[in-house]
Amino acid sequence: MADNPAGSMKGPKDPETRTRGRDFIRTLIDAHQAEGRYAQVATRFPPEPNGYLHIGHAKSICLNFGLAAEYGGSCNLRFDDTNPLTEDEEYTRAIQEDVRWLGFEWSKLRHASDYFERMYVVAVGLIEKGLAYVDSASDEEIREKRGTVTEPGTPTTDRDRPVAESLDLFRRMRAGEFEDGSMVLRARINLSAHNMIMRDPVLYRIRHAHHYRTGNDWCIYPLYDYAHCLEDVFEGISHSLCTLEFDNNREIYDWVLDNAGFEEPRTHQYEFARLILDYTILSKRKLIRLVKEGYVSGWDDPRMPTIAGFRRRGVPAAALRSFCEMIGVAKVNSRVDDGKLEFSIRDEMNRTAPRAMAVLRPLVVELTNWDEGRVDMLDAPRFPDGAGSAELAEAEGSAVSGPARELPFGRRVLIDREDFAVEPPSGWKRLAPGGEVRLRNAYVIRCDEVVSGPDGEPELLRCSVDHDTLGRHPEGRKVQGTIHWVSEAHSLPLEVRLYDRLFTVADPEDVPEDGDFVDYLNPDSLVTLTEARGEPSLKSASAGEAYQFERVGYFVVDADSTDGSLVMNRTVTLRDNWTRKSGADGNDGAAGGQKGAGKGAEGAGAAGKVPQESPGPKTPRGPVAADDRVSPERRAAREANPVLAARFDRYQKEFGLTLDEADILSGSAANGDFFEAALSAHDDPAAVASWMVNDLAGDMGDRSFADLPFGGPAFGTLIARVAEGAVARRAACEILTEMVEKGTDPDEVIRRDGLAKVSDEGAIGAMIDEVLGEWAGKVAEYRAGSRNLFGLFMGQVMKKSGGNADPGLLRRLLTEKLEG
């Protein structure tokens, strides 16, 4: 690849428009810019090519490349290839692919091996100054003589070796005269230094090994602490950014450059907190073990925290960038809730993933009053309420092109077994004997008869369809539940891989002395379903294309797919159900409705953990007895404060909140006070809790509820406006973002920006007439049989209304006008 000229840094194709926080690194760079210290900001991303990049590297990539783009500077991709025993070209190719996939392009592609000769010359200069010497002591002796934190080190017999002798030996080391481990080059600094790294660190070692770039030209290789700073200064890097574990290394970084004669202004090292993610291992050594010992299928196994694994799982690059921005840059290490990552994924995929329906565990429904052989073609939007990516929806040749999709509807359909219960629990809103549900985008049906198999489990439901309920409510009764379905005759076979957390504990690194981190591997981290069926619009789906399976989750087409068999990987569920694996799912859960959406998400829910799958029907939303998964800090706060403990219990038992929601909202007095103040404006605990945990938490960043520029009543008012139908949810999410930034009153924003939901039949009817007049040719095509144009008309009217038209009312009026 040709190098890009400095200053032509490329960043993501879709950069965030929000104001970026001024973290301590940006504050530092601002000061350097003001004083004119550097001609330009120059950063680098320096991975060692001995494995695949993981999500911790993604944070560093976004920071280094992001700073360069933000300040109009440069960022190099540099491979720290100083250990030929562990490095491979496979890793260099994978790393380049990962950086590009994340949306970045480097200014220059460099390798540590580009500088081996220059590093050698600098080492010779240090020897000549008496600042380095060749030591023949063994590794064990060097280690023993380095001392302890309370005792100074002692010199080996070679520390006072004459300069000329060290120069001769160092040249002969390079020439290959000595065996591996027979001698090293050490810096002569201070054996009594408080920082033990400064006690005569090793600079070079002998390695008779083939290097993937330089072949057998070298048999001595520099160590990281010596090489890294020189690479930075050779490349003119202004700000060398490392994670906190390298803070003690900063002293040797400066020592080498100072004593090698590099004058100010020159590069300096700055440390930031590394990513520590719940339920995740980011140790490259341990990730290599998972791959080599077969615990996973490879570096790109969708359960791995590698960038390749996330890509294969279907996680959008934009979601990882958003997550990295959300967690920010700090000076202190802290654990990050994996719910923040899942929130970012849902938030992005809600906008970009077209909708489809799939039944994971099929149960046959026969509609007894539907004529044999009759098949109706029903319309369904690819994106709800005209939302989603218009660019994606209109892409020529894309499997998701067009504003709508056709759903064949015949005598036999398939529903998910989780949507039927022979003996439903209280509050059940799905199908049961004698009960009614609406089939999504179709009719209301009633279960009249259950046919069981030899094992006593239902294998066929005989139901009747209410023919007058397509797009209309049934007369004289209310049907609360809506479930998804596919036509049995037209459905496509799917292999569905349900991926879950790889580990069962939040900190798999924290193991007892006699334990092993693999003891905490989740045996249910992959569940494969081979009987799943999908709607026919998936027929043209290709590898890498993502979908929201309505009411189920987000999925991506895996590379293992063939023309006749689609393999779908679950990227993330629609909501957090991890805490409900004992049965507390809730009627608004992933299989039970669309309530509790994440920010702008249709059916998305609490940002949190991935659920365990269970084949049977689930009980209503309610308290979970076990609380071993709650935050230890919040648990400790409740143990010390009876008021918080009472709230934790009441929020589950009285309000029916999930364990996660109750844990967060009772975790401090400020959290609970804000929640209860919001209830004073909108008395719906489930809705307020969902908005707080998902939407508001996603906008707050690292702030607490007590730090917000508005109070609970204003927040409750916004949710009430959504519930009243006064403002669309999508618009409410935008209002909430402004409230977090400026403390604006929600009603004021609704009035100021004209965001009030349009529910007036006359106003919507007038907009429909305008659209049908503008698209008269398409209207004729629709009436001639092109029913898939319905979504086009919906989208155009939505556009005229600024996205604020009541979608249900719009659909009804549009249907009436098109049908004459």
Side-chain angles (χ1 to χ4, degrees), residues 462-766:
R462 291 197 173 101
C463 300
S464 52
V465 59
D466 186 335
H467 292 272
D468 295 326
T469 55
L470 181 61
R472 296 179 175 85
H473 294 300
E475 293 291 338
R477 64 193 190 279
K478 182 178 182 181
V479 177
Q480 294 184 335
T482 299
I483 64 175
H484 59 284
W485 58 278
V486 295
S487 167
E488 182 184 44
H490 302 86
S491 62
L492 302 175
L494 304 177
E495 177 183 311
V496 175
R497 298 171 181 174
L498 301 176
Y499 290 101
D500 203 340
R501 288 170 167 168
L502 188 55
F503 294 95
T504 58
V505 294
D507 186 3
E509 299 269 15
D510 183 20
V511 299
E513 289 186 8
D514 58 347
D516 192 338
F517 78 100
V518 297
D519 296 339
Y520 299 124
L521 285 169
N522 179 7
D524 298 317
S525 60
L526 170 59
V527 175
T528 302
L529 305 178
T530 58
E531 303 299 322
R533 309 291 293 190
E535 68 175 60
S537 73
L538 296 169
K539 185 175 182 179
S540 55
S542 57
E545 288 189 324
Y547 293 84
Q548 184 199 99
F549 286 170
E550 298 187 51
R551 302 180 62 251
V552 178
Y554 292 100
F555 291 77
V556 69
V557 182
D558 189 79
D560 288 345
S561 298
T562 62
D563 289 341
S565 178
L566 281 178
V567 177
M568 306 295 297
N569 296 335
R570 182 173 65 188
T571 305
V572 68
T573 56
L574 284 180
R575 57 177 297 124
D576 167 19
N577 289 327
W578 176 271
T579 58
R580 300 179 189 147
K581 61 186 177 182
S582 63
D585 168 62
N587 299 315
D588 55 353
Q594 298 297 326
K595 187 177 178 183
K599 184 175 180 181
E602 180 199 46
K609 296 84 182 173
V610 182
Q612 299 278 355
E613 294 294 325
S614 58
K618 299 178 181 178
T619 58
R621 173 181 180 134
V624 177
D627 68 349
D628 58 329
R629 293 178 303 278
V630 302
S631 160
E633 293 80 7
R634 292 192 284 263
R635 182 192 294 121
R638 286 189 290 270
E639 290 173 351
N641 188 331
V643 174
L644 299 185
R647 283 178 170 178
F648 180 66
D649 188 59
R650 180 162 60 93
Y651 290 170
Q652 293 179 84
K653 293 181 178 178
E654 183 178 329
F655 292 165
L657 303 187
T658 68
L659 178 66
D660 273 355
E661 291 166 344
D663 180 35
I664 293 170
L665 300 181
S666 67
S668 72
N671 293 10
D673 291 347
F674 188 95
F675 173 59
E676 300 198 6
L679 292 178
S680 68
H682 184 60
D683 190 16
D684 184 341
V688 173
S690 178
W691 275 82
M692 277 187 70
V693 171
N694 302 311
D695 303 83
L696 182 54
D699 278 337
M700 285 166 52
D702 292 331
R703 283 181 288 181
S704 70
F705 291 111
D707 296 330
L708 292 172
F710 60 90
F715 181 63
T717 297
L718 176 63
I719 304 171
R721 298 295 176 261
V722 177
E724 295 162 1
V727 65
R729 181 181 175 85
R730 182 174 55 179
C733 290
E734 296 172 0
I735 295 171
L736 183 59
T737 299
E738 180 173 333
M739 290 173 65
V740 171
E741 292 175 354
K742 302 177 182 179
T744 322
D745 177 78
D747 286 335
E748 178 186 332
V749 181
I750 293 170
R751 289 191 299 270
R752 182 196 70 199
D753 296 345
L755 297 176
K757 196 170 184 179
V758 181
S759 300
D760 179 79
E761 287 197 20
I764 294 180

Side-chain angles (χ1 to χ4, degrees), residues 342-356:
E342 292 194 358
F343 172 87
S344 298
I345 296 169
R346 292 188 185 100
D347 190 48
E348 177 64 24
M349 296 191 77
N350 175 66
R351 292 192 293 267
T352 59
R355 276 43 171 180

Side-chain angles (χ1 to χ4, degrees), residues 363-374:
L363 176 61
V364 179
V365 172
E366 184 177 67
L367 302 174
T368 56
N369 61 337
W370 189 272
D371 294 340
E372 287 277 7
R374 174 186 169 186

Side-chain angles (χ1 to χ4, degrees), residues 126 130-133 146 159 186-203 225-226 248-257 259:
L126 292 176
L131 298 175
Y133 60 98
R146 191 163 277 158
R159 192 171 196 268
R186 297 179 67 183
R188 182 185 281 107
I189 304 179
N190 181 3
L191 290 174
S192 300
H194 176 73
N195 181 356
M196 293 188 66
I197 290 177
M198 300 301 289
R199 296 184 183 181
D200 289 14
V202 174
L203 306 181
D225 283 334
Y226 175 72
N248 286 333
N249 303 64
R250 188 188 333 125
E251 194 171 354
I252 183 63
Y253 186 103
D254 289 335
W255 183 91
V256 170
L257 296 186
N259 288 283

Side-chain angles (χ1 to χ4, degrees), residues 363 415-425 428 430-433 447 450 458 461 616-618:
L363 176 61
I415 67 170
D416 203 300
R417 289 185 177 274
E418 293 191 356
D419 283 333
F420 178 76
V422 176
E423 298 180 1
W428 183 255
R430 293 171 246 174
L431 193 58
C447 180
V450 181
L461 306 181
K618 299 178 181 178

